[in-house]
């Protein structure tokens, strides 16, 4: 199999998305995966028996769990921001025709051991029990400022220099207290730590705008989730790639990545060599070119009830800001259910995740697990956070970062855009992703 391809792509959500984009851009793509399914580490596992095997839990799932094939459990759960980058990618490439989404029913934040709905509109701010009356008014003023902020119109800056004024100073200007700063930075702007406070306020304001605009699209929350699980996403982009001439090989063991004179020239699998000019893969394929920068703990929990104090939501996100539990990074809870065709009738799947900070990761997530009690079954995983040692411009081997603890796709999309730039030398342009209307592959 000595065929020349432009790229050989191993498979996770991220690589599948890139293979679709590169195919639309006229590249010849071969997509090889050692797994028998799309999505790599971020796959959805079905039936439930396979999840028990994967986590080495003895015995079979109890009868109370219903039929095994009714389950589709994400190993790395994430929601899509309704107005975010991944939804844009889906719309521009028309991959939306292969997927159905549901709006997540609520977005909550943890304060003093309890959870509260995240207020992100003026009306919600005034009704929220998170704040006292005067704090509500100040927060409402802040939200109005953010909504009116326009980077092209200095009249909307109100004395703030978006490229110089820190976010800490913006909070001071509106006289916002620590609890409000916590949920604004972590549940609206979706920062994982407080490092952003001393950086220019421009990005934070845009992040809060993204949250508010995403919320405005559907009303209940800013998040979307695909029916049948996240495994549908890589499959959708794989179909897109195939329409544009991409070739897919699942269950293909990768024996060796062949490098000559410092540059990748191919991949050896089952004694054959597939040649390429560029290679994209996740860190698990090239251990010597990545380094460990931390760990993430994820706990998948099966419940027979919605989470308390969420108005019996069938799906929701809860963010526990680090200050509330004396940590350096946030804890995330993401819950979906039978309403999304990922669990048996009446069952719920809640996944807790955070960046590991101590030698006892399970203790670190206790505050989140307490919110979920009683838990029927837990599946615990601790995985390394790996990043590439170099940009790949010399070797033409472009390695993605492993998935972080966040429960949304914005950081993943940043990585996609980063790899795209490293590969092509040009900035990522959503217009480039549009299906070519006159293309011979334009329709499937």
């Amino acid at each position: 199999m000595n065929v020349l391809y432009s790229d050989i792509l191993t498979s996770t959500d991220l690589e599948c998305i890139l293979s679709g984009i590169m195919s639309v851009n006229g590249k010849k793509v071969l997509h090889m995966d050692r797994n028998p399914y799309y999505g790599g580490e971020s796959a959805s596992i079905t039936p439930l028996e396979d999840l028990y095997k994967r986590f080495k839990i003895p015995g079979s799932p109890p009868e109370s769990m219903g039929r095994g094939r009714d389950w589709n459990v994400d190993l790395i759960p994430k929601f899509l921001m309704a107005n975010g980058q991944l939804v844009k990618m889906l719309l521009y490439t028309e991959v939306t025709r292969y997927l159905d989404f549901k709006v997540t029913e609520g977005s909550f934040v943890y304060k003093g051991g309890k959870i509260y709905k995240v207020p992100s509109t003026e009306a919600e701010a005034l009704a929220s029990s998170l704040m006292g009356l005067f704090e509500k008014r100040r927060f409402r003023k802040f939200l109005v400022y953010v909504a009116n902020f326009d980077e092209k119109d200095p009249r909307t800056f109100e004395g703030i220099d978006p490229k110089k004024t820190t976010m800490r100073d913006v909070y001071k200007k509106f006289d916002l207290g620590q609890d409000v700063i916590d949920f604004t930075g972590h549940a609206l702007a979706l920062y994982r730590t407080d490092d952003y406070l001393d950086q220019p306020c421009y990005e934070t304001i845009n992040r809060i705008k993204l949250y508010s605009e995403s919320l405005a699209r559907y009303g209940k929350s800013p998040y979307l989730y695909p029916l049948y699980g996240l495994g549908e996403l890589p499959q959708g982009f794989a179909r897109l790639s195939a329409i544009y001439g991409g070739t897919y090989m699942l269950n293909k063991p990768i024996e060796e990545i062949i490098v000559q004179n410092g540059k990748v020239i191919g991949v050896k699998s089952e004694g054959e060599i597939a040649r390429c000019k560029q290679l994209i893969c996740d860190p698990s394929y090239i251990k010597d070119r990545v380094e460990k920068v931390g760990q993430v703990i994820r706990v998948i929990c099966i419940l027979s009830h919605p989470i308390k104090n969420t108005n019996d939501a069938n799906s929701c996100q809860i963010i526990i800001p680090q200050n509330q539990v004396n940590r350096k990074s946030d804890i995330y809870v993401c819950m979906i259910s039978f309403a999304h065709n990922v669990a048996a009738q009446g069952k719920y799947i809640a996944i807790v995740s955070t960046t590991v900070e101590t030698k006892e990761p399970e203790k670190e997530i206790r505050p989140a697990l307490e919110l979920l009690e009683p838990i029927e079954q837990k599946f615990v995983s601790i995985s390394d956070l790996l990043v590439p040692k170099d940009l790949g411009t010399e070797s033409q081997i472009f390695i993605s970062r492993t998935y972080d603890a966040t429960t949304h796709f914005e950081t993943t999309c940043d990585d996609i855009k980063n790899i795209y730039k490293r590969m092509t030398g040009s900035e990522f342009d959503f217009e480039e992703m549009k299906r070519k209307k006159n293309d011979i592959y334009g329709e499937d």
Side-chain angles (χ1 to χ4, degrees):
M1 191 180 68
N2 281 329
V3 187
L4 185 69
Y5 287 86
S6 300
D7 307 282
I8 298 179
L9 299 124
T10 59
S11 178
T12 65
D13 274 353
L14 190 149
E15 278 77 25
C16 277
I17 292 167
L18 273 162
S19 72
I21 293 165
M22 291 299 182
S23 298
V24 172
N25 279 351
K27 295 273 189 187
K28 254 182 161 179
V29 175
L30 171 63
H31 194 118
M32 294 167 81
D33 196 325
R34 61 164 90 92
N35 297 305
Y37 48 79
Y38 296 107
E41 288 306 302
S42 55
S44 305
I45 300 298
T46 185
L48 188 61
E49 288 77 2
D50 283 9
L51 193 69
Y52 271 65
K53 280 182 205 146
R54 189 182 180 102
F55 285 89
K56 298 183 172 59
I57 288 173
S60 303
E63 276 184 31
S64 61
M65 298 274 191
R67 291 187 313 179
R69 65 176 179 276
D70 287 342
W71 294 81
N72 245 327
V73 183
D74 296 331
L75 295 177
I76 301 181
K78 286 184 186 283
F79 291 136
L80 290 79
M81 292 287 274
N83 228 26
Q85 302 179 86
L86 185 53
V87 168
K88 261 193 191 171
M89 291 178 189
L90 288 162
L91 288 167
Y92 272 79
T93 53
E94 297 176 35
V95 170
T96 41
R97 64 172 76 176
Y98 311 131
L99 301 162
D100 285 312
F101 288 92
K102 251 195 150 132
V103 181
T104 305
E105 288 181 23
S107 183
F108 298 85
V109 66
Y110 179 97
K111 176 193 166 192
K114 292 184 181 163
I115 58 173
Y116 300 84
K117 190 163 189 327
V118 176
S120 54
T121 63
E122 296 166 48
E124 282 190 346
L126 291 173
S128 175
S129 53
L130 260 176
M131 302 167 274
L133 181 63
F134 296 111
E135 186 92 281
K136 282 178 184 177
R137 287 179 181 164
R138 294 194 289 270
F139 182 59
R140 181 181 170 276
K141 263 189 178 167
F142 169 74
L143 284 178
V144 171
Y145 171 75
V146 169
N148 292 333
F149 179 86
D150 178 355
E151 56 201 86
K152 296 187 183 79
D153 183 359
R155 287 173 302 179
T156 64
F157 295 175
E158 293 182 23
I160 285 169
D161 181 340
K163 297 285 170 76
K164 288 188 183 158
T165 310
T166 67
M167 201 59 210
R168 195 185 294 277
D169 289 335
V170 174
Y171 288 143
K172 264 191 204 143
K173 175 184 164 79
F174 288 92
D175 196 19
L176 300 178
Q178 188 57 50
D179 284 343
V180 176
I181 290 170
D182 272 356
F183 78 70
T184 302
H186 296 265
L188 295 181
L190 301 174
Y191 283 108
R192 286 169 285 167
T193 68
D194 273 347
D195 296 349
Y196 79 96
L197 285 169
D198 298 306
Q199 290 163 0
C201 63
Y202 163 81
E203 185 175 339
T204 304
I205 290 172
N206 279 336
R207 280 174 170 232
I208 298 167
K209 273 176 94 79
L210 169 66
Y211 188 99
S212 300
E213 287 161 4
S214 294
L215 182 76
R217 284 186 78 160
Y218 300 105
K220 282 183 181 173
S221 87
Y223 302 111
L224 301 173
Y225 181 81
L227 292 182
Y228 302 101
L230 288 180
E232 295 298 292
L233 281 173
Q235 287 193 56
F237 280 101
R239 285 183 72 176
L240 176 73
S241 179
I243 287 163
Y244 282 88
T247 306
Y248 270 72
M249 293 179 175
L250 296 177
N251 246 337
K252 248 341 223 174
I254 307 297
E255 287 154 16
E256 187 189 347
I257 288 161
I258 304 164
V259 176
Q260 254 181 27
N261 304 323
K263 250 195 174 81
V264 69
I265 60 154
V267 170
K268 190 175 179 186
S269 173
E270 297 174 317
E272 297 179 309
I273 294 173
R275 297 187 173 276
C276 67
K277 294 176 188 168
Q278 293 180 309
L279 169 70
I280 308 172
C281 63
D282 72 47
S284 68
Y285 285 88
I286 310 189
K287 297 274 173 60
D288 60 333
R289 290 178 182 261
V290 295
E291 59 188 340
K292 180 178 161 182
V293 291
Q295 286 187 311
V296 174
I297 178 169
R298 293 185 178 89
V299 181
I300 299 168
C301 303
I302 292 178
L303 319 175
S304 292
H305 57 87
I307 298 169
K308 292 182 204 75
N309 305 317
T310 62
N311 304 323
D312 292 340
N314 281 329
S315 56
C316 67
Q317 172 175 265
I318 304 166
I319 291 179
I320 303 180
Q322 22 104 292
N323 284 336
Q324 293 293 325
V325 281
N326 300 316
R327 287 173 49 77
K328 294 193 201 77
S329 46
D330 296 352
I331 303 172
Y332 296 88
V333 180
C334 143
M335 196 266 286
I336 52 215
S337 67
F338 61 95
H340 306 84
N341 303 344
V342 293
Q345 190 61 33
K347 298 292 181 184
Y348 301 76
I349 303 168
I351 300 103
V352 177
S353 56
T354 194
T355 305
V356 173
E357 294 179 8
T358 69
K359 293 213 161 52
E360 298 180 281
E362 283 197 63
K363 265 193 186 165
E364 296 181 47
I365 53 163
R366 201 171 280 159
L369 294 177
E370 282 167 5
L371 298 174
L372 308 179
E373 294 291 354
I375 297 166
E376 245 177 280
Q377 181 64 55
K378 281 192 310 198
F379 305 88
V380 182
S381 69
I382 294 167
S383 47
D384 291 343
L385 273 173
L386 302 170
V387 299
K389 286 181 184 172
D390 64 66
L391 297 176
T393 34
E394 278 184 35
S395 64
Q396 292 294 293
I397 297 172
F398 303 98
I399 306 167
S400 59
R401 304 166 74 91
T402 43
Y403 287 97
D404 59 30
T406 60
T407 46
H408 56 83
F409 272 106
E410 293 307 295
T411 49
T412 307
C413 290
D414 290 340
D415 198 19
I416 288 170
K417 287 158 85 170
N418 179 283
I419 291 175
Y420 182 91
K421 186 177 179 184
R422 278 152 49 197
M423 285 185 77
T424 63
S426 54
E427 291 293 339
F428 187 89
D429 181 359
F430 283 101
E431 289 297 321
E432 287 287 307
M433 294 173 60
K434 279 193 171 166
R435 282 194 166 185
K436 314 294 187 275
K437 294 293 177 244
N438 306 322
D439 200 304
I440 55 162
Y441 297 114
E443 282 299 320
D444 56 333

